Amino acid sequence: MTKHTQSLADNERWLGRVMIAPAIVYIVALVGFPFFLALFYSVSNITVGSTETSFIGLENFRHLLHNRTFLRALRNTFVFAFVSQALVLVLAKTLALSLLKDFRGKWVVRLLILLPWVAPISLGSIGWLWILDSVYSVINWTGRALGIFGPATWPIWLGQPTLAMASIITVHVWRLLPLATVILLGGLTSIPQDIHDAAAVDGAGFWRHNFQITIPLVLPIMLVAMLFGVVFAFTDMIVIYVLTRGGPYDTTQVLASLAFFTGIDGGDLAAGAAIALFLFPVLAVSAILMLRLARRTEVT
Amino acid sequence: MATVETRDIRKLFGDVKAVDGVDLLVKEGEFLVFLGPSGCGKTTLLRMIAGLETQTSGDILIGGQVVNDLPPRARKIAMVFQSYALYPHMTVYRNIAFPLKAQGFPGDQIPQKVEWAASTFGIGKLLHRKPRELSGGERQRVALARAVVREPSVFLLDEPLSNLDAKLRTSARDELQQFQRRIGTTTIYVTHDQVEAMGLGDRIAVMSGGKVRQLGSPQEVYNEPADTFVAGFLGSPPMNLFERDDYIAGFRPETFLPVGLHDTSEPLVTLWAKIHRVEHLGADRLLYGTMRDTFPNEKVIINIPFTVEMQITPGEVYEFAVKEKDIKFFDRSTGLRTEPRRFWEKRS
Ligand SMILES: Nc1ncnc2c1ncn2[C@@H]1O[C@H](COP(=O)(O)OP(=O)(O)OP(=O)(O)O)[C@@H](O)[C@H]1O
Ligand SMILES: [Mg+2]
């Protein structure tokens, strides 16, 4: 018995296989299988409860291209992903830079910044629901009390298409900011102090220092974080699900939420799968590009 | 070119007095070395002069102008770091050009300046490489080229040779000194290596515990140490020190020789010592022993050049002598240098 366990632990080939097996099972069962199922659905006419399905080729995709709701969601997805990423990037960089400096009560600020990340997202979103509520909105009442909002101004944050989109982006940024800040902070602290000192002595001012020294040196890690952020923004729907459910009139749908509402809530599995897979080629290519870029940029 | 002056400059890190009241005047074109053991505040002092660290109190003057509130880039200095601090993502060319661009040098003259700096240090062929593709010695040259390219009025160097191997260090030291003599820029050089300090410095500031213990030429600090710290820090092996009632007497190992080896035209003091161990170090022979009579049982180290062929056997007692003028005296409570005393019998 002892002999047997020992030989397994000593046999690297088998040990490796045994240890990687759970990961493979997990990927096959929860990623691979659904992915191929979706591929299959997207070229069929399957619906929830249908007993027979037939192959209809790219009909689902062609159909989508004539669907106004889909086109709107497609545009929203890009707006949502890029605006939120840009904001996260700028804000996280600013926050990380200011957290790098030593000051009193730094740990309190760090804790506050990390809080949105450790709190359950649904809890945070419910807080936001209240902040953005049509009747009880904290922003509106504060604005009114301070006299910033006149008697005729009463924005319905989640009820007007543009405001609703802005609200969703804001909450998404709020949610991703902590992680992005911590990642950047890690990248920034890995730059030796001597490099910063050398730049200061060499005469670099704030902008030159930032754009020619600091940013290039954290670029690889920033690219990975950005890749993660973009893919996340393209595929995540929880903020939308909690705040607007895609409303008003489907004006805040993104592909992920539309796929869910069409395929699961609406029961049109084939159309849902087609929506979900629509951006797959774009995402795959952008992932490959960014990973290559990250590998080519070098830090020592 | 400029003078550098510090007036009663201090730096506290919490309770740690990293620099504790330093007054210095570095002359124009001078090569000054800060020498001292690890943690004595050399780097901190240098960083304050560079403007990378703000002093707790005191003034810094460069070229006669108070620069306390000027940022590093306005102080017309160049600094070479122990780690070289090359920008890893830039080629050698861009590394050297960086300070020129940052200081708004006319763009069309930059290539020419970079070529000049690179050829000065013999790295003209490496301009397209990245720092990680260079050897330690080449990186050090790039760091120097980046420092000289803007023709600063003061050079600050923090142990720039400590990452090189012994042989390379000697030749780099040589080149550095020749280069400094040629361009004549005021230079402050930090090191904890006394050989480096002796070889390079016009003057040496010996530091300990955040204070400058002595400021003088290499000969002065070696031959006329201002206190027991300097006496014990310089020289290897360091000065032999013997405590008596209220004073400390000392002499260098190489001044204490077997009696017969001195010419007798100068007054000598003879002392007996028992030798325990002999060490042959190529050019020198080191004898470890204990003193007799005047300083009973005090340890002593003696350094005899290898050209002296006298047979010395461990366990035997020999008569040694030191010139009267080579014996230094220090106050026992303060450690400071005092007037010569006499602890010996007048030699007949
Ligand atoms: N940023 C800092 N915070 C707190 N203490 C510091 C800081 N920098 C230096 N010190 C302390 O100040 C003292 C002097 O440090 P410094 O780096 O100037 O020594 P050094 O003479 O350059 O030593 P070495 O030869 O090892 O480089 C040390 O006791 C060190 O611990
Ligand atoms: Mg140091």
Side-chain angles (χ1 to χ4, degrees), chain B residues 13 16 18 36-45 53 82 159 192:
Chain B
F13 289 114
V16 182
S38 195
C40 70
K42 308 179 295 286
T43 299
T44 309
L45 182 54
E53 207 89 62
Q82 184 174 354
E159 314 210 21
H192 60 258

mmCIF file of all heavy atoms in Angstrom, chain B residues 13 16 18 36-45 53 82 159 192, ligand 1:
data_model
loop_
_atom_site.group_PDB
_atom_site.id
_atom_site.type_symbol
_atom_site.label_atom_id
_atom_site.label_comp_id
_atom_site.label_asym_id
_atom_site.label_seq_id
_atom_site.Cartn_x
_atom_site.Cartn_y
_atom_site.Cartn_z
ATOM 1 N N PHE B 13 14.956 60.203 10.035
ATOM 2 C CA PHE B 13 13.914 59.274 9.600
ATOM 3 C C PHE B 13 13.275 58.769 10.874
ATOM 4 O O PHE B 13 13.813 57.878 11.514
ATOM 5 C CB PHE B 13 14.502 58.098 8.824
ATOM 6 C CG PHE B 13 15.025 58.455 7.467
ATOM 7 C CD1 PHE B 13 16.377 58.380 7.168
ATOM 8 C CD2 PHE B 13 14.147 58.849 6.459
ATOM 9 C CE1 PHE B 13 16.849 58.692 5.911
ATOM 10 C CE2 PHE B 13 14.627 59.164 5.195
ATOM 11 C CZ PHE B 13 15.971 59.087 4.927
ATOM 12 N N VAL B 16 15.642 57.946 13.747
ATOM 13 C CA VAL B 16 16.992 57.677 13.256
ATOM 14 C C VAL B 16 17.619 58.956 12.715
ATOM 15 O O VAL B 16 17.062 59.603 11.834
ATOM 16 C CB VAL B 16 16.963 56.622 12.129
ATOM 17 C CG1 VAL B 16 18.375 56.312 11.652
ATOM 18 C CG2 VAL B 16 16.278 55.358 12.610
ATOM 19 N N ALA B 18 19.880 60.006 10.417
ATOM 20 C CA ALA B 18 20.658 59.488 9.288
ATOM 21 C C ALA B 18 21.818 60.420 8.974
ATOM 22 O O ALA B 18 22.923 59.981 8.708
ATOM 23 C CB ALA B 18 19.765 59.310 8.071
ATOM 24 N N GLY B 36 32.665 55.810 4.501
ATOM 25 C CA GLY B 36 32.199 55.428 5.831
ATOM 26 C C GLY B 36 31.564 54.064 5.792
ATOM 27 O O GLY B 36 31.278 53.540 4.720
ATOM 28 N N PRO B 37 31.330 53.474 6.967
ATOM 29 C CA PRO B 37 30.750 52.138 7.002
ATOM 30 C C PRO B 37 29.286 52.165 6.553
ATOM 31 O O PRO B 37 28.692 53.229 6.439
ATOM 32 C CB PRO B 37 30.863 51.738 8.469
ATOM 33 C CG PRO B 37 30.918 53.038 9.206
ATOM 34 C CD PRO B 37 31.591 54.006 8.305
ATOM 35 N N SER B 38 28.735 50.983 6.312
ATOM 36 C CA SER B 38 27.353 50.880 5.871
ATOM 37 C C SER B 38 26.415 51.537 6.892
ATOM 38 O O SER B 38 26.572 51.362 8.090
ATOM 39 C CB SER B 38 27.007 49.403 5.710
ATOM 40 O OG SER B 38 25.841 49.274 4.981
ATOM 41 N N GLY B 39 25.467 52.301 6.395
ATOM 42 C CA GLY B 39 24.462 52.900 7.267
ATOM 43 C C GLY B 39 24.888 54.186 7.937
ATOM 44 O O GLY B 39 24.192 54.697 8.812
ATOM 45 N N CYS B 40 26.019 54.772 7.536
ATOM 46 C CA CYS B 40 26.493 55.974 8.217
ATOM 47 C C CYS B 40 25.873 57.239 7.633
ATOM 48 O O CYS B 40 26.125 58.332 8.126
ATOM 49 C CB CYS B 40 28.010 56.063 8.154
ATOM 50 S SG CYS B 40 28.624 56.429 6.508
ATOM 51 N N GLY B 41 25.075 57.112 6.582
ATOM 52 C CA GLY B 41 24.361 58.281 6.065
ATOM 53 C C GLY B 41 24.928 58.873 4.795
ATOM 54 O O GLY B 41 24.521 59.955 4.378
ATOM 55 N N LYS B 42 25.830 58.169 4.133
ATOM 56 C CA LYS B 42 26.446 58.692 2.905
ATOM 57 C C LYS B 42 25.406 58.912 1.814
ATOM 58 O O LYS B 42 25.318 59.998 1.227
ATOM 59 C CB LYS B 42 27.498 57.709 2.375
ATOM 60 C CG LYS B 42 28.529 57.282 3.384
ATOM 61 C CD LYS B 42 29.518 56.300 2.788
ATOM 62 C CE LYS B 42 28.927 54.974 2.380
ATOM 63 N NZ LYS B 42 28.598 54.072 3.491
ATOM 64 N N THR B 43 24.623 57.862 1.560
ATOM 65 C CA THR B 43 23.623 57.962 0.499
ATOM 66 C C THR B 43 22.608 59.051 0.819
ATOM 67 O O THR B 43 22.233 59.835 -0.047
ATOM 68 C CB THR B 43 22.922 56.606 0.315
ATOM 69 O OG1 THR B 43 23.898 55.640 -0.052
ATOM 70 C CG2 THR B 43 21.860 56.679 -0.744
ATOM 71 N N THR B 44 22.181 59.099 2.058
ATOM 72 C CA THR B 44 21.191 60.103 2.450
ATOM 73 C C THR B 44 21.730 61.511 2.198
ATOM 74 O O THR B 44 21.019 62.358 1.651
ATOM 75 C CB THR B 44 20.830 59.926 3.939
ATOM 76 O OG1 THR B 44 20.487 58.560 4.159
ATOM 77 C CG2 THR B 44 19.671 60.815 4.324
ATOM 78 N N LEU B 45 22.971 61.738 2.570
ATOM 79 C CA LEU B 45 23.577 63.055 2.356
ATOM 80 C C LEU B 45 23.637 63.390 0.865
ATOM 81 O O LEU B 45 23.270 64.494 0.445
ATOM 82 C CB LEU B 45 24.985 63.071 2.982
ATOM 83 C CG LEU B 45 25.771 64.369 2.912
ATOM 84 C CD1 LEU B 45 24.966 65.504 3.498
ATOM 85 C CD2 LEU B 45 27.092 64.236 3.666
ATOM 86 N N GLU B 53 15.815 63.967 -1.571
ATOM 87 C CA GLU B 53 15.389 63.806 -0.188
ATOM 88 C C GLU B 53 15.404 65.215 0.394
ATOM 89 O O GLU B 53 16.311 65.984 0.096
ATOM 90 C CB GLU B 53 16.420 62.932 0.526
ATOM 91 C CG GLU B 53 15.920 62.151 1.696
ATOM 92 C CD GLU B 53 15.400 60.790 1.275
ATOM 93 O OE1 GLU B 53 16.175 59.982 0.744
ATOM 94 O OE2 GLU B 53 14.209 60.560 1.477
ATOM 95 N N GLN B 82 23.925 53.346 -7.779
ATOM 96 C CA GLN B 82 24.582 52.061 -7.579
ATOM 97 C C GLN B 82 24.005 50.996 -8.515
ATOM 98 O O GLN B 82 24.707 50.181 -9.063
ATOM 99 C CB GLN B 82 24.410 51.637 -6.125
ATOM 100 C CG GLN B 82 25.130 50.366 -5.796
ATOM 101 C CD GLN B 82 25.073 50.052 -4.318
ATOM 102 O OE1 GLN B 82 24.594 50.836 -3.517
ATOM 103 N NE2 GLN B 82 25.571 48.893 -3.961
ATOM 104 N N GLU B 159 28.361 54.851 -5.127
ATOM 105 C CA GLU B 159 28.977 53.534 -5.298
ATOM 106 C C GLU B 159 28.800 52.985 -6.713
ATOM 107 O O GLU B 159 28.283 51.893 -6.896
ATOM 108 C CB GLU B 159 28.368 52.538 -4.292
ATOM 109 C CG GLU B 159 28.275 53.111 -2.899
ATOM 110 C CD GLU B 159 28.397 52.060 -1.826
ATOM 111 O OE1 GLU B 159 28.926 50.976 -2.106
ATOM 112 O OE2 GLU B 159 27.975 52.332 -0.691
ATOM 113 N N HIS B 192 32.117 52.815 0.326
ATOM 114 C CA HIS B 192 32.549 52.339 1.637
ATOM 115 C C HIS B 192 33.880 51.598 1.506
ATOM 116 O O HIS B 192 34.346 50.974 2.434
ATOM 117 C CB HIS B 192 31.479 51.461 2.289
ATOM 118 C CG HIS B 192 31.139 50.250 1.486
ATOM 119 N ND1 HIS B 192 30.002 50.174 0.728
ATOM 120 C CD2 HIS B 192 31.794 49.097 1.304
ATOM 121 C CE1 HIS B 192 29.978 49.010 0.106
ATOM 122 N NE2 HIS B 192 31.048 48.334 0.435
HETATM 123 N N1 LIG C 1 13.850 55.966 3.748
HETATM 124 C C1 LIG C 1 14.361 55.679 4.964
HETATM 125 N N2 LIG C 1 13.550 55.488 6.024
HETATM 126 C C2 LIG C 1 14.063 55.220 7.248
HETATM 127 N N3 LIG C 1 15.356 55.112 7.505
HETATM 128 C C3 LIG C 1 16.225 55.294 6.501
HETATM 129 C C4 LIG C 1 15.776 55.581 5.177
HETATM 130 N N4 LIG C 1 16.853 55.708 4.380
HETATM 131 C C5 LIG C 1 17.922 55.507 5.174
HETATM 132 N N5 LIG C 1 17.554 55.260 6.448
HETATM 133 C C6 LIG C 1 18.455 55.028 7.573
HETATM 134 O O1 LIG C 1 19.382 56.077 7.613
HETATM 135 C C7 LIG C 1 20.685 55.592 7.897
HETATM 136 C C8 LIG C 1 21.645 56.014 6.798
HETATM 137 O O2 LIG C 1 21.304 55.364 5.585
HETATM 138 P P1 LIG C 1 22.136 55.539 4.247
HETATM 139 O O3 LIG C 1 21.421 54.819 3.173
HETATM 140 O O4 LIG C 1 22.401 56.977 4.031
HETATM 141 O O5 LIG C 1 23.485 54.782 4.596
HETATM 142 P P2 LIG C 1 24.770 54.566 3.688
HETATM 143 O O6 LIG C 1 25.880 55.243 4.387
HETATM 144 O O7 LIG C 1 24.501 54.968 2.300
HETATM 145 O O8 LIG C 1 24.997 53.008 3.783
HETATM 146 P P3 LIG C 1 25.457 51.964 2.639
HETATM 147 O O9 LIG C 1 26.940 52.046 2.560
HETATM 148 O O10 LIG C 1 25.020 50.660 3.198
HETATM 149 O O11 LIG C 1 24.765 52.336 1.383
HETATM 150 C C9 LIG C 1 20.548 54.095 8.047
HETATM 151 O O12 LIG C 1 20.516 53.814 9.429
HETATM 152 C C10 LIG C 1 19.247 53.759 7.413
HETATM 153 O O13 LIG C 1 18.640 52.677 8.062
#
